[in-house]
Amino acid sequence: DPAAPVWVTSVATGGSAVTVAADAGLVHIADHESLSSFDVTDPRAPVPVGREPATQFALGVAAEGTSAWVGDWGYFERFDVSNSTGAGELDVRESAVQVDEAGVGELTITNRGAGDLTIYSASSDDSTLSFVVGTPVLAAGETTTLQVNAPAGTTLDTALCLATDDPDSPVFQVPVRTGHLDSYIGQVAPDFVLNDLEGNSWQLSELLGHPVVLVYFATW
């Protein structure tokens, strides 16, 4: 009844769903970061089929049979999708593991597939690092945390190698860094002067002791 839509179900895609397209019993979602596909043979119980990262920034998707055409910022991409489900799908949220001064960092891992995802091992070329996986076997939709431990105060610029049974990316690497290498959290900000929309001039050093919020955005 178009005058009285009824909510049926919802499934987390792991990104910001921008556009949706459906054909051949499959639904495809472009969510900026990737293309996510679901088997909707039973529309009340969508089953994840796969999730593949976009080359740049997935903004649109069109469905044609079991293929998905993705408008990806500076690219035009085609993905062929199989309705056969059952595999796990690795989804790592952080682009890097940031280790704090105490020597602890965390990585969030989610299984976006339809079957179990097994985390076989976590390793690094840096022998001072150790890893603790919260849950080594993730059911569909489950999330766990991998903790990275390093000697306190260590300077790091290495990588974590994650081995899983994800058929698309069985070996996945994530940079591991200490905060002061590429993060300015906790450091004194350099002084600067900016003009607001009314033409008033503001100097950061004159606002010492007050909260300062900078808002910046693109105008397109």
Side-chain angles (χ1 to χ4, degrees):
D1 180 358
V6 177
W7 179 92
V8 177
T9 187
S10 64
V11 179
T13 66
S16 302
V18 184
T19 52
V20 176
D23 197 11
L26 294 167
V27 165
H28 311 285
I29 301 99
D31 63 7
H32 287 172
E33 300 173 9
S34 64
L35 172 74
S36 296
S37 298
F38 294 83
D39 186 325
V40 291
T41 304
D42 180 357
R44 294 162 296 184
V47 177
V49 174
R51 187 173 191 268
E52 292 300 318
T55 300
Q56 287 186 330
F57 202 58
L59 296 172
V61 61
E64 181 186 18
T66 58
S67 296
W69 298 88
V70 176
D72 187 10
W73 201 255
Y75 292 86
F76 178 47
E77 299 183 290
R78 170 178 165 167
F79 295 82
D80 290 331
V81 182
S82 170
N83 288 67
S84 60
T85 60
E89 188 79 29
L90 176 71
D91 180 22
V92 174
R93 303 309 300 156
E94 293 84 4
S95 59
V97 179
Q98 209 74 22
V99 177
D100 60 24
E101 293 182 356
V104 179
E106 290 187 345
L107 188 71
T108 305
I109 302 170
T110 302
N111 177 12
R112 299 289 178 195
D116 290 348
L117 176 72
T118 302
I119 302 170
Y120 293 128
S121 66
S123 60
S124 173
D125 291 338
D126 190 330
S127 60
T128 65
L129 298 183
S130 62
F131 307 96
V132 179
V133 179
T135 305
V137 180
L138 298 176
E142 281 192 337
T143 296
T144 192
T145 300
L146 184 148
Q147 181 173 302
V148 179
N149 298 305
T154 302
T155 298
L156 297 171
D157 189 8
T158 184
L160 157 66
C161 181
L162 199 62
T164 73
D165 63 354
D166 181 336
D168 297 324
S169 53
V171 178
F172 187 83
Q173 287 196 336
V174 185
V176 178
R177 307 182 182 118
T178 38
H180 63 270
L181 282 175
D182 61 349
S183 172
Y184 295 97
I185 295 174
Q187 298 186 34
V188 176
D191 197 17
F192 59 86
V193 178
L194 288 177
N195 294 327
D196 63 22
L197 295 177
E198 283 73 43
N200 301 310
S201 180
W202 297 87
Q203 185 163 353
L204 183 64
S205 58
E206 295 178 352
L207 302 173
L208 186 64
H210 299 275
V212 176
V213 178
L214 299 179
V215 179
Y216 57 94
F217 53 89
T219 57
W220 65 72

